[in-house]
Amino acid sequence: MNHAQLRPLGRTGLRVSPLCLGGNVFGWTADEDTSFQVLDAFVAGGGTFVDTADAYSAWAEGNHGGESERIIGRWLAARGRPDGLVVATKVSRHPQFRGLSAANIHAAADASRARLGVEAIDLYYAHFDDADTPLAESARAFSELVDDGRIRYIGLSNHSPARIREWMDICADQGLHAPVCVQPHYNLMERGVEEDLVPLALERGLALLPYSGLARGFLTGKYRTGGPKVDSPRSGAARAYLDDPRAALVLGALDAVAARTGVSPASVALSWLSDRPAVVSVLASARTTDQLTDLLAVNQLRLDEESAELLSEDSAPRRARVW
């Protein structure tokens, strides 16, 4: 087994690998046998952090939500839980458990625990904000789950910095268990969070666990102007990045650093992200063990200062000129 340099997950007692394996493909583009192979290879490669959601993958034909959790649960039952493995899941988008009302949070948590086959969920996220439910109600419900021993820690995903700050303030005022981490959309092509969310995370001691670290596959380098088609359900969204004025610069920088370090562009992109301020672990998914190989490199790879600066400069958002 390859051992990753584990990192503390915020102010929790958890320590996680720099790579977090996304489970959104399990039961969707990866069947159960392939999912088991990917999970086995991930653990063998030093991975200790798996992320899923109760809604995965309700969007696929014939699915109803919870497919990913069930596969992970059956894998845990078949293999035995690896030492130190951290499992995260989320609530708010399952067809039967929509929103963040207190009743829904409690019911969805129990359903997820049953599918995963665990007594307590290590990290439980509010997947998307729910404007129809008062934040205080949601915050209390999550805190009650910690008190009941049904979850260990709380996370937020797809919440604005203002709403995150409000949630944290409610917890401080009411003595509730507060979120310990945030899962934002963040990568070399999506850096808007650096203006507001990253400073908030540093201020409040929140760990950042970015998703879509490879920009839907664009940062693997497979998508090029005039290049061949890529067989992927995300190819349309990935190719859309080619319209960004920074695309050629970013791909060029990835190619240069990959050649210098002897690893793939995907490994470079994830390594850059893993070393950004407040970032603890980066999410990426693999529907085959071949795809996983490039991802696992982030557990060991650290970019030199020159390489990191090149990537940061060439991916910096371009602002309109003020005349």
Side-chain angles (χ1 to χ4, degrees):
M1 178 173 176
N2 297 314
H3 293 284
Q5 186 66 43
L6 302 185
R7 299 174 172 185
L9 180 55
R11 54 183 176 276
T12 74
L14 304 176
R15 297 180 65 83
V16 297
S17 52
L19 176 67
C20 177
L21 182 64
N24 59 310
V25 298
F26 300 155
W28 175 31
T29 55
D31 62 21
E32 184 162 320
D33 287 343
T34 303
S35 300
F36 274 36
Q37 293 170 18
V38 169
L39 286 160
D40 288 341
F42 175 69
V43 171
T48 68
F49 195 7
V50 175
D51 176 273
T52 187
D54 65 357
Y56 299 162
S57 48
W59 57 83
E61 184 177 356
N63 284 358
H64 304 286
E67 286 78 16
S68 176
E69 289 181 330
R70 288 190 186 92
I71 287 175
I72 293 170
R74 287 194 283 265
W75 175 76
L76 289 170
R79 302 293 194 262
R81 184 163 184 156
D83 291 341
L85 184 73
V86 174
V87 178
T89 191
K90 311 178 192 76
V91 56
S92 83
R93 286 298 180 94
H94 189 285
Q96 292 180 302
F97 304 104
R98 291 193 179 277
L100 296 176
S101 69
N104 189 71
I105 289 168
H106 282 250
D110 287 341
S112 288
R113 289 166 60 227
R115 286 189 289 265
L116 291 167
V118 298
E119 183 175 338
I121 297 166
D122 296 314
L123 180 59
Y124 198 44
Y125 286 97
H127 198 171
F128 283 86
D129 200 354
D130 177 7
D132 295 328
T133 301
L135 277 184
E137 178 182 340
S138 302
R140 281 194 300 270
F142 273 87
S143 188
E144 288 165 358
L145 290 177
V146 177
D147 289 334
D148 293 344
R150 288 186 278 175
I151 70 173
R152 297 177 66 188
Y153 298 102
I154 302 162
L156 300 179
S157 177
N158 299 299
H159 283 63
S160 70
R163 295 281 277 179
I164 294 169
R165 187 181 296 276
E166 185 179 353
W167 189 308
M168 298 289 288
D169 288 343
I170 288 169
C171 291
D173 292 342
Q174 299 187 17
L176 304 176
H177 297 285
V180 299
C181 61
V182 176
Q183 192 178 100
H185 187 195
Y186 186 18
N187 55 58
L188 277 164
M189 299 301 293
E190 303 283 354
R191 295 181 58 183
V193 298
E194 294 175 350
E195 294 186 5
D196 45 20
L197 180 55
V198 171
L200 175 61
L202 293 170
E203 173 193 339
R204 297 296 182 101
L206 292 164
L208 293 184
L209 307 169
Y211 69 84
S212 194
L214 292 176
R216 301 181 184 272
F218 175 74
L219 297 174
T220 63
K222 294 184 294 186
Y223 299 88
R224 310 273 179 164
T225 300
K229 291 184 177 180
V230 177
D231 181 19
S232 169
R234 301 180 180 184
S235 61
R239 292 195 69 85
Y241 281 109
L242 290 171
D243 295 330
D244 190 304
R246 299 171 297 153
L249 282 173
V250 171
L251 291 175
L254 285 172
D255 290 341
V257 176
R260 182 186 305 163
T261 56
V263 299
S264 71
S267 302
V268 171
L270 291 177
S271 184
W272 174 86
L273 184 59
S274 74
D275 282 338
R276 301 301 292 171
V279 172
V280 171
S281 185
V282 296
L283 277 77
S285 57
R287 52 194 173 99
T288 67
T289 53
D290 288 343
Q291 289 182 347
L292 184 64
T293 301
D294 288 342
L295 309 184
L296 283 170
V298 75
N299 282 336
Q300 310 292 338
L301 178 65
R302 301 277 74 81
L303 299 181
D304 60 80
E305 185 176 346
E306 181 182 352
S307 296
E309 287 183 357
L310 174 64
L311 290 161
S312 296
E313 290 173 2
D314 286 353
S315 65
R318 272 43 174 177
R319 293 177 174 82
R321 181 178 296 178
V322 178
W323 298 93

